[in-house]
Amino acid sequence: MSAQALEPAVLSGFRTHNPDVLTCIANLSNDEVFTPPELANRMLDTLEESWAAAHDGASIWADSTVTFLDPFTKSGVFLREITRRLSEGLADEIPVLEDRVDHILTKQVYGIGITEITALLARRSLYCSKDASGEHSIAGSFERHWGNVWFERTEHTWTGGKKKQDLLDAEGNAVIVGRRCRYCGAQEDAYGRGDELETHAYAFIHTDDIKARIAELFGEEMQFDVIIGNPPYQLDDGGAGKSAAPIYHFFIRAAKALDPRFVTMITPSRWMAGGKGLDEFRAEMLHDDRIRTLVDFMDSDEAFPGVDIAGGVSYFLWDRDSHGSCSVTTDIRGKRVGPIERSLDEFDVFVRHAAAVSILKRVWPDGPEVSKSLGSKMSGRKAFGFATTARGETSTEGIPDPIQLISSAGEGFVARSAVSMNSAWIDKWKASVSRAAPAGGRPDKDGKYYGLSTIRVIPPGTITTEAYPIVNVFDDEVEAIRMCEYLRTRFVRFLLTLRAANQSITRAGFNFVPNLPMDQSWTDDSLAERYGLTTEERHYMESMVRPMEIPDA
């Protein structure tokens, strides 16, 4: 392609224009979310600032030796915007546009597609052609059609499982069921697919040696300066997301193992306080003082318009050669707080609201103690062994020693002998809450939380399903009533929001809530006096949590 023909292609392909086709692409699913150009550029601005701070003010975009990798490219937006910035920044060093763009595309920007279709989309975004070596490509010296955006079908490596003797394959051998991928944990039952479907086995995390794997993909040993992108978030093994297992932490670990100078990625924010199987990863992140920037969107719609990701999303910048506190910015309902310099490891979870830290330190001056919190009293997932779907019988007829069962569908009856957990609680007074947090645990349009929805006393002879966990049990009805009053305070519900990771109320969510004696009624006024909360701190809690209607029946 001639320089004269290249100029219009670059103008249309790399420079900001309106409309931008990449703002119009629908997401494949909530685990494969396309990144809007605005968000990609905000991340690149953060990277630019950090690079300049580490290189005496030099621009990363004016350095022809810096290499970039998006190891899970979808639309190609990161690679496209990086190329656009480099094409402007390197104008003095490589004045001929055709030579400059060819150098950038062949020597500086690399990607790994997550599926065949996203790899084609990324090549089209980057090279203005799905064939990087074709006549329409704006890169002039590629000999391979995929350029520097690699994709080949990757298979899972199944391990474990058990032979099912009553299920035979075509050769008459017992079929092994229940196997999982040793790299990502995918279930073979869900992801053991034929050639006509994507495997969702991502090459970047399906290896024991990431450096050797990268050399295999690109045909030579590679050392990347920057690894950037928006990884797949989860593998859903069925159940409409209820059994989805996060996988984005595997990508972060693999990126760090490549020893780049910078890693910047956007992920769900659930890792900060919860997430299935993320306890070890959360500890790694909170104790890694090379995470120098964290930008947190409390509502995912602020980052990905129209996309609902429980708990919000965030992006971080990790700087291999820099240690210290983290610059934290929080976006909530269009309001931006920060940046504020913070230590990420003050607690066992990351408290997303910086202003809440002083309140926590008043409540727990020596640090939170689980043994002194309501988290130590609350039931596990199934207080009495009954799943959410349990309903019981509509009458007591034919049921020996019947007790009442409260479920999300109403009231039923089961035999006392059917209770498999916490049978000693059956004849106690109990304080219960609804497992589902109101509004999915997210703030309302005014940026305020409810924290809890249904709060009620469960009398002796009555139990609940998984839908209504038990917070504490009592011998006395008055104490159970007082506990419910305590749970309705803004004080308690505010502390709950600090550990909220998604739409579910969990035992760990109560680990910041003190287990106070119920020998008196607790109100927000008496709690503020007990813990010496300032007027400003009380106003802050009131700005974050809505008052709650008194009593549920």
Side-chain angles (χ1 to χ4, degrees):
M1 182 179 288
S2 67
Q4 289 81 5
L6 182 65
E7 178 66 26
V10 173
L11 284 171
S12 64
F14 295 145
R15 293 180 184 169
T16 301
H17 58 286
N18 188 23
D20 184 340
V21 67
L22 296 190
T23 66
C24 306
I25 299 174
N27 294 304
L28 300 178
S29 64
N30 269 17
D31 60 321
E32 294 173 353
V33 180
F34 289 121
T35 309
E38 294 80 6
L39 178 58
N41 277 295
R42 185 168 172 181
M43 294 171 67
L44 291 173
D45 288 342
T46 300
L47 172 65
E48 179 180 353
E49 294 168 3
S50 297
W51 181 276
H55 293 83
D56 298 322
S59 171
I60 190 173
W61 316 118
D63 191 328
S64 61
T65 68
V66 179
T67 51
F68 303 81
L69 172 67
D70 180 349
F72 21 75
T73 188
K74 296 182 280 291
S75 67
V77 65
F78 287 102
L79 301 180
R80 187 195 71 174
E81 293 304 305
I82 288 168
T83 301
R84 178 180 62 82
R85 291 176 180 229
L86 288 170
S87 68
E88 296 172 356
L90 294 174
D92 291 338
E93 181 180 344
I94 311 175
V96 178
L97 181 62
E98 185 175 25
D99 295 340
R100 185 163 73 247
V101 170
D102 187 64
H103 171 84
I104 294 166
L105 296 178
T106 60
K107 303 295 183 184
Q108 293 191 263
V109 292
Y110 299 79
I112 299 173
I114 63 169
T115 62
E116 183 175 10
I117 192 172
T118 60
L120 292 171
L121 181 57
R123 290 173 201 150
R124 182 64 181 82
S125 298
L126 190 59
Y127 308 129
C128 299
S129 171
K130 67 179 182 180
D131 183 351
S133 61
E135 63 176 321
H136 300 296
S137 171
I138 61 172
S141 57
F142 276 126
E143 295 183 357
R144 55 198 187 196
H145 75 279
W146 52 271
N148 281 339
V149 179
W150 180 93
F151 176 79
E152 289 181 11
R153 182 184 176 91
T154 301
E155 301 293 340
H156 293 283
T157 302
W158 308 116
T159 60
K162 296 181 179 179
K163 288 185 178 181
K164 192 171 178 61
Q165 299 297 337
D166 59 345
L167 184 62
L168 305 179
D169 61 20
E171 285 74 38
N173 300 313
V175 173
I176 300 176
V177 298
R179 296 196 298 179
R180 288 183 175 271
C181 177
R182 63 175 291 228
Y183 294 111
C184 68
Q187 289 187 8
E188 185 178 20
D189 293 346
Y191 287 93
R193 298 168 168 178
D195 293 340
E196 71 279 2
L197 295 174
E198 294 283 358
T199 64
H200 295 284
Y202 305 109
F204 194 65
I205 60 174
H206 282 70
T207 178
D208 293 314
D209 188 337
I210 185 59
K211 290 187 176 182
R213 182 63 168 145
I214 290 295
E216 178 186 350
L217 302 189
F218 293 105
E220 59 180 314
E221 290 188 4
M222 304 292 297
Q223 179 59 54
F224 296 104
D225 297 293
V226 177
I227 298 179
I228 186 171
N230 178 16
Y233 296 162
Q234 63 191 30
L235 290 174
D236 188 358
D237 289 342
K242 295 179 182 179
S243 60
I247 59 171
Y248 53 90
H249 55 304
F250 297 141
F251 292 94
I252 295 171
R253 286 170 172 164
K256 291 180 180 180
L258 281 175
D259 194 34
R261 176 61 197 270
F262 291 99
V263 175
T264 180
M265 295 187 191
I266 185 164
T267 72
S269 294
R270 286 192 291 270
W271 67 265
M272 297 177 183
K276 186 177 180 181
L278 293 180
D279 290 352
E280 183 178 333
F281 173 72
R282 176 167 53 257
E284 290 174 15
M285 293 288 281
L286 295 182
H287 290 90
D288 191 342
D289 65 356
R290 294 169 293 179
I291 297 177
R292 303 308 310 279
T293 301
L294 180 64
V295 178
D296 185 16
F297 301 89
M298 303 293 287
D299 187 336
S300 61
D301 190 71
E302 295 285 328
F304 300 113
V307 178
D308 182 12
I309 300 174
V313 297
S314 57
Y315 72 82
F316 68 89
L317 184 135
W318 176 88
D319 183 344
R320 181 194 64 198
D321 300 334
S322 178
H323 299 261
S325 59
C326 183
S327 175
V328 180
T329 300
T330 305
D331 280 26
I332 178 168
R333 294 293 183 185
K335 300 177 183 178
R336 186 169 298 176
V337 179
I340 300 171
E341 290 295 319
R342 297 182 57 188
S343 173
L344 298 183
D345 63 353
E346 291 178 291
F347 306 99
D348 66 315
V349 298
F350 178 64
V351 176
R352 299 168 76 179
H353 302 279
V357 173
S358 66
I359 298 174
L360 264 180
K361 289 183 176 179
R362 289 187 186 278
V363 178
W364 301 99
D366 299 320
E369 296 182 51
V370 175
S371 63
K372 297 180 180 180
S373 75
L374 277 181
S376 67
K377 298 296 182 181
M378 187 175 175
S379 66
R381 184 173 177 181
K382 299 176 183 177
F384 298 95
F386 290 91
T388 302
T389 53
R391 296 291 182 264
E393 301 298 328
T394 56
S395 75
T396 61
E397 185 177 351
I399 301 177
D401 197 4
I403 56 175
Q404 192 170 59
L405 174 70
I406 296 176
S407 72
S408 55
E411 299 174 356
F413 299 93
V414 297
R416 182 180 290 262
S417 60
V419 174
S420 61
M421 301 175 66
N422 299 314
S423 58
W425 292 1
I426 297 175
D427 295 316
K428 300 278 190 177
W429 290 92
K430 299 163 283 281
S432 174
V433 298
S434 173
R435 177 167 295 279
R442 292 181 291 272
D444 62 18
K445 64 181 181 179
D446 297 321
K448 293 188 177 184
Y449 295 84
Y450 283 93
L452 293 171
S453 51
T454 302
I455 301 172
R456 61 178 165 183
V457 173
I458 306 296
T462 301
I463 61 172
T464 61
T465 68
E466 179 184 358
Y468 299 103
I470 302 301
V471 177
N472 207 346
V473 297
F474 304 91
D475 294 323
D476 183 272
E477 179 183 11
V478 173
E479 289 188 333
I481 292 172
R482 287 172 177 168
M483 173 57 70
C484 289
E485 293 172 350
Y486 179 50
L487 295 174
R488 290 188 184 95
T489 63
R490 275 176 156 149
F491 173 85
V492 167
R493 291 182 291 118
F494 172 78
L495 294 177
L496 280 173
T497 67
L498 303 185
R499 298 187 69 98
N502 51 40
Q503 64 269 33
S504 295
I505 302 299
T506 65
R507 175 191 289 173
F510 281 83
N511 284 354
F512 283 161
V513 181
N515 178 32
L516 297 181
M518 292 296 114
D519 55 359
Q520 68 175 84
S521 294
W522 293 104
T523 66
D524 281 308
D525 288 337
S526 61
L527 289 164
E529 182 178 356
R530 177 185 177 94
Y531 292 108
L533 300 183
T534 67
T535 300
E536 292 74 16
E537 288 167 339
R538 290 200 64 182
H539 286 167
Y540 177 69
M541 284 198 301
E542 291 169 1
S543 73
M544 293 296 296
V545 181
R546 287 209 175 278
M548 193 169 190
E549 295 294 329
I550 308 259
D552 297 273

